Amino acid sequence: MDILFIDRLTVMAYIGINDWEKNCLQKLIFDLQLSCNTEFFKDHQSIVSYIDYTHVNQVILSLVSQKHFYLIEDVANLIANTLIEKFCIYWVRVKVNKPGAIHNACNVGICVERKNKTLLKSLKKS
Ligand SMILES: Nc1nc2c(c(=O)[nH]1)N=C([C@H](O)[C@@H](O)CO)CN2
């Protein structure tokens, strides 16, 4: 398995469980890993199936700017599930960092992994 990654993608978001966090933009930093098959892309006819990381970036910006999120877990789940849905990938890892959330820690975050079970099944059959 090959991995396409995006490190330290930074977005300002409405995020948090406290009242004061409802109207206050805070920094979230994303580390993303998406499975891909670079051998497959060598064939020019299949160029359409490469994962465009600029498109991934746009999807994340659009998702995160749409509403207020309660937990970083909610953001991580939404992004992981959407990426699995929108792109032809069978595995994704999404790490959401909320630096500064705890004054005596340099970072806190959540890391989720999702698999596209339907795609996995069809890959096994072929
Ligand atoms: N597991 C989590 N715990 C907490 C979260 C969270 O998103 N997931 N959020 C907060 C507050 O919003 C905090 O970040 C305010 O600084 C507390 N605990």
Side-chain angles (χ1 to χ4, degrees):
M1 183 181 71
D2 305 324
I3 295 179
L4 180 79
F5 65 89
I6 304 178
D7 282 345
R8 314 298 290 166
L9 193 164
T10 304
V11 179
M12 298 305 285
Y14 291 104
I15 173 89
I17 62 174
N18 301 300
D19 278 346
W20 64 264
E21 294 184 286
K22 286 193 180 127
N23 300 310
C24 157
L25 280 168
Q26 297 183 77
K27 190 190 282 182
L28 291 180
I29 302 175
F30 298 94
D31 297 304
L32 305 149
Q33 296 180 356
L34 296 83
S35 67
C36 62
N37 183 347
T38 53
E39 293 291 325
F40 191 57
F41 304 151
K42 273 191 200 159
D43 170 5
H44 290 297
Q45 297 204 325
S46 61
I47 194 80
V48 284
S49 44
Y50 75 97
I51 304 162
D52 183 342
Y53 46 70
T54 63
H55 188 194
V56 175
N57 181 34
Q58 284 163 5
V59 168
I60 288 168
L61 290 176
S62 150
L63 285 174
V64 174
S65 64
Q66 271 173 25
K67 61 172 190 166
H68 174 268
F69 293 90
Y70 196 59
L71 299 171
I72 54 173
E73 287 88 335
D74 300 334
V75 185
N77 277 314
L78 177 67
I79 288 176
N81 293 334
T82 306
L83 292 179
I84 285 279
E85 230 177 77
K86 278 196 187 287
F87 296 90
C88 186
I89 51 174
Y90 64 89
W91 172 86
V92 68
R93 176 182 286 150
V94 176
K95 186 174 169 198
V96 181
N97 305 279
K98 190 178 180 186
I102 296 181
H103 75 89
N104 55 341
C106 71
N107 194 14
V108 296
I110 182 77
C111 185
V112 303
E113 285 187 20
R114 292 290 172 272
K115 284 181 183 154
N116 184 336
K117 288 174 192 141
T118 319
L119 191 58
L120 268 177
K121 271 187 206 154
S122 66
L123 282 175
K124 274 181 194 159
K125 275 186 201 156
S126 61

